[in-house]
Amino acid sequence: MTVITNHMPTAELQALDAAHHMHPFTANGELSQKGARIITRADGVHLTDSEGHQILDAMAGLWCVNIGYGREELAEVAARQMRELPYYNTFFQTTHVPAIALAAKIAELAPGDLNNVFFAGSGSEANDTNIRMVRHYWALKGKPSKSVIISRKNAYHGSSVGSGSLGGMSGMHAQGGMPIPDIHHINQPNWWAEGGDMPQEEFGLQRARELEEAILELGEDRVAAFIAEPVQGAGGVIVAPDSYWPEIQRICDKYEILLIADEVICGFGRTGNWFGCETLNIRPDIMTIAKGLSSGYAPIGGSIVSDEVASVIAGDEFNHGYTYSGHPVAAAVALENLRILEEENILGHVRDVAAPYLKQKWEALTDHPLVGEAKIVGMMGSIALTPNKAARAAFASDAGTVGYICRERCFANNLVMRHVGDRMIISPPLVITPEQIDVLIERAVKSLDECYAELKKKDLLHSA
Ligand code: PXG
């Protein structure tokens, strides 16, 4: 038997990892040469690696550790639930207390008539549920031809065959036979990269109206739903111009189109409200949730469904569900996470303290010679790196070359700040303090300076 402790030398752990562990979204051959960084502990907003480095995690894990690491209460709740009822299903006319309590709590927090929860184990699973649910909804309403779901290029909705098809990541579609039929993608509202000479608000309207054009082109009788993240996360924290969402809402209202807000990143305080659609004034029929629901302490996701849609679905057996739908341990952990978010007024901390402070510091990064635009909503932000701000130019090098260099500098400076192409993104734990934000910004500036120097040295400061 292989016994692994934190005291095993890093190189040996890396060798075992390289020999047996296939990493997601990774060129594993390349990684095995280099060796993965091994994270051993975490507390608050800090990670510790096997070499003892203290790293400020400005990504909250993978956009999920909203309450920060190391909350003992969640560990205790999990242990208690495992002793009492580690598992039972919710399929055959049974239920259990954690699933009941969590569904009721989510219904209380969700806006409008979003009062019904279908649980899943992840965001991907929840979006698979959504694909089947909206199509089944229209079939039950006597309109089975309404099966097309409209989504956006550069959206991320998960990695299963269904949710990956909903997403608009061309690199994913190129592998493994995606997308599935009847998914249609329109352009994203990314003004910095795609807006050309158009004023931002006009561009926002134009991109929203692509939804209307698609509905008219496909035929209203073919379209089931439109799905979008309130703020695109994995696509690079793309914040739509202000004109975009009101127009999208108008179009969904005008045509018989269900609106699915993918709140997997935006939900549970990330934008300063419980849900991103409250921040952006969107009225969805379904919301996808995961990540911040449990602050990542246990895998759980779900779909929050309007009374109208749920009542139609209730008219028939919905042949769908997962072994771990509403898993009692995950549900108990999520419930405790929501209690902490609520009782410690963490959303208030975001709105009144952390987000205004971070916004001011983040937007000041545009003073740096490499930084074009800075975007931020609540506690998710991005900066676009550019060789020429006035022209909003992309680099001549392959997209992501510069972003990767910057990310490597950040890692070396004990900061987790990710890159998506040549945009740098952050999504720190919501509990981050102003002092910790100062450290985040200090390390980001140092990394940008070092990146700039490296680009000069390597002669990479050219526009495409
Ligand atoms: N919707 C959105 C908006 C997401 O961001 C999912 C659905 C899928 O959730 P699961 O739990 O199945 O992963 C996500 C996940 C990245 C990255 O590189 C982002 C996600 C996942 C993995 C990597 O930023 N988001």
Side-chain angles (χ1 to χ4, degrees):
M1 196 175 88
T2 315
V3 177
I4 297 177
T5 71
N6 287 347
H7 304 289
M8 191 181 241
T10 299
E12 283 177 42
L13 286 168
Q14 287 173 326
L16 279 174
D17 187 75
H20 303 294
H21 181 193
M22 300 169 78
H23 292 248
F25 283 93
T26 298
N28 279 284
E30 201 182 307
L31 178 65
S32 65
Q33 299 301 311
K34 188 179 165 194
R37 190 185 271 244
I38 298 156
I39 306 301
T40 52
R41 306 189 65 79
D43 190 42
V45 301
H46 291 109
L47 310 169
T48 304
D49 71 10
S50 56
E51 299 289 274
H53 296 110
Q54 273 248 316
I55 307 157
L56 198 161
D57 183 9
M59 281 307 296
L62 210 43
W63 319 81
C64 53
V65 189
N66 289 8
I67 62 167
Y69 297 94
R71 292 299 301 246
E72 197 60 32
E73 301 93 321
L74 273 68
E76 271 168 22
V77 159
R80 201 183 319 137
Q81 186 60 46
M82 277 195 193
R83 291 194 183 99
E84 197 168 301
L85 180 71
Y87 178 75
Y88 204 72
N89 69 71
T90 52
F91 279 51
F92 306 111
Q93 305 191 11
T94 56
T95 187
H96 48 69
V97 176
I100 298 167
L102 182 61
K105 185 67 200 174
I106 291 169
E108 180 196 314
L109 296 175
D113 72 341
L114 293 160
N115 289 317
N116 313 274
V117 186
F118 194 106
F119 285 116
S122 66
S124 300
E125 286 182 5
N127 276 326
D128 278 11
T129 299
N130 293 339
I131 294 172
R132 300 197 61 216
M133 192 182 303
V134 298
R135 289 175 174 171
H136 188 49
Y137 165 85
W138 287 115
L140 287 171
K141 286 184 66 112
K143 297 182 176 178
S145 67
K146 281 173 82 74
S147 62
V148 177
I149 303 173
I150 300 176
S151 178
R152 307 185 294 185
K153 293 177 187 162
N154 198 36
Y156 190 83
H157 295 299
S159 198
S160 59
V161 175
S163 64
S165 298
L166 279 183
M169 299 291 179
S170 50
M172 291 176 71
H173 290 179
Q175 299 172 347
M178 294 200 288
I180 58 170
D182 281 359
I183 309 286
H184 182 89
H185 294 91
I186 60 174
N187 283 305
Q188 58 172 338
N190 182 349
W191 177 80
W192 173 266
E194 299 173 8
D197 294 333
M198 216 180 270
Q200 294 210 41
E201 298 312 321
E202 193 182 325
F203 174 75
L205 278 181
Q206 190 206 57
R207 285 286 154 103
R209 286 179 187 149
E210 284 195 19
L211 175 60
E212 191 160 31
E213 286 157 24
I215 293 167
L216 294 173
E217 194 180 302
L218 292 157
E220 199 181 327
D221 59 333
R222 289 281 288 120
V223 181
F226 173 64
I227 182 166
E229 302 150 84
V231 176
Q232 280 158 268
V237 186
I238 310 296
V239 183
D242 290 342
S243 56
Y244 182 79
W245 276 108
E247 186 66 1
I248 290 284
Q249 186 70 57
R250 180 191 71 76
I251 295 163
C252 290
D253 290 347
K254 178 171 176 190
Y255 303 93
E256 272 199 297
I257 305 301
L258 296 175
L259 175 55
I260 308 170
D262 187 333
E263 296 269 1
V264 167
I265 287 175
C266 293
F268 304 102
R270 177 65 47 204
T271 70
N273 289 295
W274 281 104
F275 298 98
C277 52
E278 296 167 289
T279 304
L280 295 169
N281 214 3
I282 307 163
R283 282 177 287 101
D285 300 284
I286 297 175
M287 296 199 293
T288 321
I289 53 172
K291 295 194 190 273
L293 170 59
S294 67
S295 281
Y297 280 61
I300 185 165
S303 307
I304 319 181
V305 181
S306 73
D307 287 341
E308 208 277 317
V309 172
S311 69
V312 171
I313 296 295
D316 190 19
E317 180 168 334
F318 184 33
N319 296 314
H320 179 78
Y322 308 105
T323 300
Y324 299 134
S325 285
H327 189 285
V329 177
V333 167
L335 201 57
E336 182 65 4
N337 171 60
L338 298 182
R339 186 193 67 71
I340 288 174
L341 279 170
E342 200 166 34
E343 286 184 12
E344 296 183 6
N345 190 22
I346 291 173
L347 273 60
H349 168 76
V350 168
R351 277 196 297 263
D352 302 336
V353 181
Y357 192 72
L358 180 61
K359 182 179 165 71
Q360 177 206 335
K361 298 270 169 180
W362 191 251
E363 287 176 346
L365 290 177
T366 52
D367 293 341
H368 195 278
L370 263 186
V371 179
E373 72 165 2
K375 287 287 185 189
I376 186 153
V377 177
M379 301 301 282
M380 57 195 295
S382 59
I383 47 180
L385 305 184
T386 176
N388 180 344
K389 299 185 195 210
R392 305 210 310 275
F395 289 95
S397 50
D398 289 345
T401 308
V402 171
Y404 182 77
I405 291 172
C406 187
R407 191 202 82 133
E408 290 294 279
R409 297 319 313 154
C410 291
F411 241 135
N413 288 314
N414 291 327
L415 172 68
V416 178
M417 172 159 83
R418 285 252 318 279
H419 80 109
V420 176
D422 296 324
R423 286 181 92 84
M424 304 306 297
I425 58 173
I426 56 163
S427 165
L430 306 185
V431 294
I432 192 169
T433 63
E435 296 71 32
Q436 291 166 334
I437 290 172
D438 285 342
V439 175
L440 189 169
I441 297 292
E442 237 166 66
R443 291 182 187 175
V445 169
K446 181 163 189 270
S447 306
L448 285 165
D449 286 346
E450 291 171 2
C451 175
Y452 192 55
E454 191 171 335
L455 297 182
K456 268 191 188 157
K457 204 167 114 198
K458 291 184 171 164
D459 198 23
L460 283 172
L461 276 169
H462 298 286
S463 300

